[in-house]
Amino acid sequence: MLQALDHLFHRKSLRVEFDLNCPVHNVHRALLLKNDALQEGEGKFPLDKDDKLMYSDVDYLDTWLAMEKLVKAGLTKAIGVSNFNHEQLDRIIANSSTTPATNQVECHPHLAQVKLIEYCKSKGISVTAYSPLGSPDRPWAKKDDPILMEDPKIVAMATKYNKTPAQVLIRFQIQRGIICIPKSVTKSRIESNFK
């Protein structure tokens, strides 16, 4: 089981009972989601009087050091990060005793993350691709943004090999040694993604 530490939970005094909705002994890997934590407060995205996000002054390194204690206490097997660049990863590695097990980033043919993947592999950090099928429903998407699953090259490759565009995109990640976590709620698509 993966338990993610939300962007609201960066704090130096992180305790073992950090709002897990499951018994701590079931957590296989804890993941620090963001390097730019928001202040704790009302709602998931606390805003100031000008409707701007309120960021926390807690350093992500302090949160990482607190998470290391979970590993040392045997409460999780591994800890990782999400959306960290190589400078942030270097800082964690230089200032802690635990290298992140994974760096979870958006990754697909339109955002291949080649340099970051090479860096992570050189440090023994696995890369987990979220949104490997694209993310057309993201809030900041523009009307004219290309839709990955409709990309003519991907569709042509899928047709050529009698596969779905999703299967081609998943294979793209697997062949690069990337852990792939496609999102789907449709049973038939989930089953198809495994083929």
Side-chain angles (χ1 to χ4, degrees):
M1 171 180 279
L2 172 69
Q3 177 62 44
L5 219 63
D6 205 344
H7 59 269
L8 300 176
F9 290 101
H10 291 228
R11 59 181 170 262
K12 201 172 196 172
S13 62
L14 183 71
R15 293 166 302 184
V16 171
E17 63 273 7
F18 53 80
D19 266 4
L20 288 174
N21 292 322
C22 62
V24 177
H25 64 275
N26 288 338
V27 177
H28 178 70
R29 181 178 291 175
L31 190 67
L32 178 56
L33 280 184
K34 293 264 188 181
N35 48 43
D36 55 349
L38 298 176
Q39 286 184 14
E40 294 181 55
E42 297 264 336
K44 191 164 178 127
F45 298 99
L47 302 174
D48 65 14
K49 61 181 167 58
D50 298 319
D51 285 336
K52 299 202 185 236
L53 288 173
M54 297 189 316
Y55 289 94
S56 170
D57 60 355
V58 176
D59 187 335
Y60 66 85
L61 183 59
D62 291 332
T63 304
W64 181 261
L65 295 172
M67 288 175 62
E68 277 189 316
K69 293 175 184 175
L70 296 171
V71 176
K72 290 174 182 168
L75 297 173
T76 188
K77 293 183 181 184
I79 52 178
V81 295
S82 181
N83 300 313
F84 275 54
N85 62 38
H86 77 274
E87 289 97 356
Q88 293 160 332
L89 290 166
D90 273 342
R91 185 167 175 245
I92 284 177
I93 292 167
N95 293 287
S96 69
S97 60
T98 306
T99 298
T102 195
N103 187 13
Q104 183 175 302
V105 295
E106 182 175 359
C107 188
H108 47 70
H110 291 176
L111 184 60
Q113 304 274 20
V114 174
K115 289 182 180 179
L116 181 60
I117 290 168
E118 287 173 1
Y119 169 83
C120 287
K121 286 183 178 182
S122 77
K123 300 295 182 182
I125 302 169
S126 70
V127 175
T128 302
Y130 69 77
S131 297
L133 309 180
S135 53
D137 59 347
R138 66 195 181 281
W140 58 89
K142 296 179 185 92
K143 244 184 190 180
D144 58 345
D145 281 353
I147 296 174
L148 190 58
M149 298 275 281
E150 297 173 4
D151 182 299
K153 291 179 183 177
I154 293 166
V155 171
M157 193 174 293
T159 302
K160 177 180 178 181
Y161 293 105
N162 197 28
K163 299 292 179 185
T164 67
Q167 289 170 324
V168 169
L169 293 167
I170 292 167
R171 178 75 179 248
F172 168 75
Q173 301 297 358
I174 292 170
Q175 284 187 211
R176 299 187 322 146
I178 306 301
I179 299 163
C180 188
I181 50 173
K183 176 184 171 187
S184 182
V185 294
T186 308
K187 183 179 179 183
S188 61
R189 287 187 185 147
I190 294 168
E191 289 171 348
S192 174
N193 289 346
F194 278 107
K195 295 179 180 174

